């Protein structure tokens, strides 16, 4: 009500992270407006974990999973806040792929946009999976799954084996 969006979003992120009973309320109240507000909100954080929570909220609620994952990995590759974002990034791609007609175009190599998005997501996950992440098996499983979709079964099998070793 006072118009201090940055401070309000910061407080909502604290509630979201620390109070399960109010998580949904904090989720719906969190509303970053402009990039400048976002930077001001991040500047209010006292710890990297607080920043990770903000990035997680942005990624989950504003469809900015990859940017959020990149920022969290920079802050703390061991953060459990990556788990949900990784799943959402893969699910978002699946939803785009399995939309009416797109999957058949993808199989017939007629949809370059979706092929490009798949390659970008694979490259991103490959890069992150080499870092010291908390649950490497999740990254290798996601990577293997996407490689199956990309018809790269040999590399997918290698990633599934890496996942099995690290679980």
């Amino acid at each position: 009500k006072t118009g201090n969006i940055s401070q309000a979003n910061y407080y909502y992120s604290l509630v979201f992270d620390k109070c399960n009973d109010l998580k949904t309320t904090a989720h719906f109240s969190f509303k970053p407006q402009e990039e400048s507000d976002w930077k001001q909100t991040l500047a209010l954080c006292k710890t990297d974990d607080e920043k990770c929570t903000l990035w997680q909220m942005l990624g989950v609620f504003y469809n900015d999973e990859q940017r959020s994952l990149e920022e969290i990995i920079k802050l703390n590759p061991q953060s459990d806040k990556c788990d949900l974002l990784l799943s959402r990034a893969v699910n978002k791609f699946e939803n785009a792929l399995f939309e009416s007609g797109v999957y058949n175009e993808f199989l017939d190599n007629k949809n370059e946009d979706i092929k490009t998005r798949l390659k970008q997501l694979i490259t991103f996950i490959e890069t992150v999976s080499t870092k010291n992440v908390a649950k490497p098996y999740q990254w290798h499983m996601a990577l293997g799954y996407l490689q199956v979709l990309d018809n790269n079964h040999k590399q997918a099998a290698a990633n599934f084996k890496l996942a099995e070793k690290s679980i």
Side-chain angles (χ1 to χ4, degrees):
K1 289 182 180 181
T2 65
N4 193 338
I5 294 166
S6 301
Q7 190 174 29
N9 284 330
Y10 171 67
Y11 288 138
Y12 287 130
S13 74
L14 295 177
V15 171
F16 179 84
D17 192 41
K18 303 294 184 200
C19 183
N20 282 333
D21 291 342
L22 295 175
K23 195 170 252 194
T24 302
T25 301
H27 156 96
F28 286 114
S29 300
F30 177 79
K31 294 186 179 11
Q33 304 291 309
E34 306 288 333
E35 188 66 22
S36 59
D37 295 331
W38 178 246
K39 289 179 180 174
Q40 289 172 3
T41 304
L42 285 169
L44 294 171
C45 294
K46 294 169 182 57
T47 67
D48 283 348
D49 192 53
E50 288 182 359
K51 289 179 186 176
C52 289
T53 298
L54 278 170
W55 280 111
Q56 181 190 40
M57 291 178 77
L58 185 76
V60 170
F61 307 132
Y62 290 93
N63 295 318
D64 208 351
E65 299 89 359
Q66 190 165 326
R67 176 184 175 204
S68 296
L69 276 167
E70 289 169 358
E71 295 300 326
I72 292 171
I73 295 296
K74 285 180 201 173
L75 294 165
N76 178 8
Q78 292 283 312
S79 176
D80 63 349
K81 306 222 176 358
C82 294
D83 302 345
L84 177 61
L85 290 170
L86 174 61
S87 296
R88 299 248 328 170
V90 171
N91 290 146
K92 187 176 178 181
F93 176 77
E94 282 178 317
N95 289 340
L97 178 61
F98 295 118
E99 285 177 355
S100 177
V102 175
Y103 183 63
N104 291 332
E105 291 175 15
F106 173 77
L107 291 176
D108 296 335
N109 290 317
K110 293 180 183 174
N111 191 319
E112 285 304 312
D113 177 54
I114 203 79
K115 286 276 189 190
T116 300
R117 286 177 58 194
L118 176 59
K119 295 287 188 197
Q120 289 171 342
L121 188 55
I122 286 173
T123 301
F124 171 70
I125 293 174
E126 279 176 334
T127 302
V128 173
S129 70
T130 64
K131 299 189 184 310
N132 185 24
V133 292
K135 298 175 184 168
Y137 59 90
Q138 286 183 334
W139 293 87
H140 291 297
M141 288 295 294
L143 186 54
Y145 172 68
L146 293 172
Q147 288 166 331
V148 167
L149 292 176
D150 194 34
N151 217 12
N152 188 348
H153 300 285
K154 184 177 179 180
Q155 195 60 43
N159 273 296
F160 292 142
K161 284 190 188 296
L162 286 171
E164 186 177 36
K165 286 179 185 177
S166 65
I167 199 160

